[in-house]
Amino acid sequence: MGKLTTLNGILKDEASQMKLNVVHLCSSVNAKTIDLALLKATSHTSHNPPSDKYVTFLQSTVDTCYGPETVSAILHRLRLTTDVCVAAKCLILLHKMIKAESGYNEEDSLRDSNSHRTLIYNQGGSNLKLNDLNVNSSRFTRELSPWVQWYKQYLDCYLSIAEVLGVTPNIKDKTEDKRLETQRVSHYTTDCIFKQIDFLVNLFEHISDRPKTPTSKLNKIIIEMIELMVQDYFSVIKLIRIRFEELNERVAKPYELVPVLERLENCKEGLNEFSWRSKYLIEDFWCLVSKLKDM
């Protein structure tokens, strides 16, 4: 980061801090603390992803009355900033906030959860808006810019899935999570399951179309985006598998699955990079895809 860029970032962060102090003269301590944590997590002067310290604090507001305020504040900062790095951090924060929602529990297993996702994406409309970003300030921003544009679209896709499923696609390895999701799926109509699979496969396709990872120097923000994306990839594999297993019991004509299976196979090469992360999960999934296609 050049000296002028660093100085400019410091001045912007200090100006934001001063503005925050004025705005919150009559606000609650909690509201000011949330905004301060957001500023620290999305500073102009660091090329690192948001600090775990601030992420954890902001995530802790998700299931409280301050959850909507936190999400709205991140969206507001995202829309206003022209800094590529700040925009990337805002998107990462939103992703982590959504993933922090508790969706797989007994109470929510058969109905939609009361979610803050609707503040970001509701009824097919996205509130994820990027400003005209200054992409040419440095080599770092030029490398990061295509990832920010892609990541914004990725989150739109991710949130559209959450809207269709009624729950964030963030299933864990717990047996209980799988049981509850299997129970949910068993209550859906066949057409509904096909629709859900279609949206889930969209995420596979979007991951396959990700920008090329910079080879010049490790970009920690891009690495963080990829890590969150890979977590989603593994969750979506589990969600698709549960639906395939349900359809396999219901559908008398397996060829109805062929278009979806072909779309999946077209993504396979672009997803091979992550196979080593969960070898058996990946192998079992692609074996199931091949088996269904050959039926």
Side-chain angles (χ1 to χ4, degrees):
M1 186 183 289
K3 290 183 179 180
L4 286 176
T5 304
T6 302
L7 178 60
N8 186 45
I10 292 172
L11 292 174
K12 285 183 177 180
D13 287 339
E14 289 181 351
S16 296
Q17 177 74 60
M18 292 172 63
K19 182 179 178 181
L20 184 149
N21 290 334
V22 172
V23 168
H24 287 293
L25 283 175
C26 300
S27 300
S28 68
V29 174
N30 286 329
K32 182 177 180 179
T33 304
I34 289 170
D35 280 351
L36 180 59
L38 173 57
L39 286 180
K40 296 287 187 181
T42 60
S43 68
H44 293 76
T45 53
S46 170
H47 281 177
N48 293 323
S51 165
D52 288 343
K53 173 184 175 181
Y54 300 116
V55 170
T56 301
F57 170 74
L58 293 170
Q59 284 179 323
S60 72
T61 69
V62 167
D63 294 322
T64 72
C65 61
Y66 294 101
E69 185 175 334
T70 302
V71 172
S72 295
I74 301 171
L75 287 170
H76 181 69
R77 185 155 173 79
L78 175 66
R79 283 194 293 267
L80 290 183
T81 188
T82 58
D83 188 281
V84 177
C85 198
V86 172
K89 293 176 186 180
C90 287
L91 291 171
I92 288 171
L93 269 181
L94 287 169
H95 197 172
K96 290 191 172 187
M97 291 287 290
I98 299 161
K99 287 169 75 70
E101 288 185 353
S102 54
Y104 288 93
N105 55 58
E106 196 67 48
E107 183 180 354
D108 289 331
S109 63
L110 296 177
R111 65 174 177 83
D112 292 355
S113 60
N114 182 17
S115 168
H116 305 316
R117 293 190 309 271
T118 54
L119 293 171
I120 311 171
Y121 189 100
N122 192 26
Q123 296 180 352
S126 173
N127 288 319
L128 287 179
K129 308 293 184 185
L130 294 176
N131 203 337
D132 291 330
L133 300 176
N134 181 12
V135 301
N136 293 315
S137 59
S138 68
R139 180 177 180 177
F140 178 86
T141 58
R142 287 192 293 273
E143 286 183 344
L144 184 58
S145 177
W147 277 89
V148 171
Q149 299 292 340
W150 172 86
Y151 195 45
K152 184 266 179 191
Q153 295 170 0
Y154 173 84
L155 288 182
D156 280 339
C157 181
Y158 181 83
L159 289 161
S160 70
I161 292 171
E163 187 175 73
V164 170
L165 298 187
V167 66
T168 303
N170 190 32
I171 189 170
K172 307 295 184 184
D173 288 328
K174 299 176 184 176
T175 302
E176 181 66 5
D177 276 8
K178 182 179 179 181
R179 184 190 70 79
L180 289 173
E181 180 62 12
T182 302
Q183 182 183 7
R184 286 165 60 92
V185 173
S186 69
H187 289 78
Y188 298 147
T189 64
T190 299
D191 286 345
C192 178
I193 296 174
F194 269 110
K195 179 181 178 181
Q196 291 179 348
I197 290 174
D198 182 59
F199 274 80
L200 290 164
V201 174
N202 283 343
L203 196 75
F204 273 46
E205 292 172 333
H206 202 77
I207 293 173
S208 295
D209 291 336
R210 66 192 179 280
K212 186 176 181 180
T213 305
T215 56
S216 56
K217 190 175 181 180
L218 290 179
N219 185 314
K220 292 182 180 179
I221 292 179
I222 293 177
I223 290 172
E224 184 74 2
M225 290 177 177
I226 292 173
E227 176 59 31
L228 292 169
M229 176 197 72
V230 171
Q231 292 173 15
D232 296 339
Y233 170 47
F234 294 152
S235 287
V236 168
I237 281 179
K238 296 166 193 169
L239 294 170
I240 292 178
R241 185 184 183 101
I242 288 170
R243 284 156 178 79
F244 276 167
E245 289 170 348
E246 179 68 24
L247 286 177
N248 196 34
E249 294 180 4
R250 295 190 195 183
V251 180
K253 302 174 182 178
Y255 65 78
E256 294 178 20
L257 284 169
V258 170
V260 168
L261 298 172
E262 289 180 344
R263 286 173 60 198
L264 280 171
E265 289 198 327
N266 289 336
C267 300
K268 187 174 181 180
E269 184 176 349
L271 300 170
N272 281 340
E273 178 183 342
F274 314 117
S275 298
W276 64 273
R277 295 281 298 271
S278 189
K279 183 178 178 181
Y280 296 112
L281 173 69
I282 302 295
E283 287 181 352
D284 287 348
F285 176 74
W286 290 112
C287 282
L288 176 62
V289 170
S290 297
K291 178 182 176 182
L292 291 172
K293 193 176 179 183
D294 293 339
M295 287 179 67

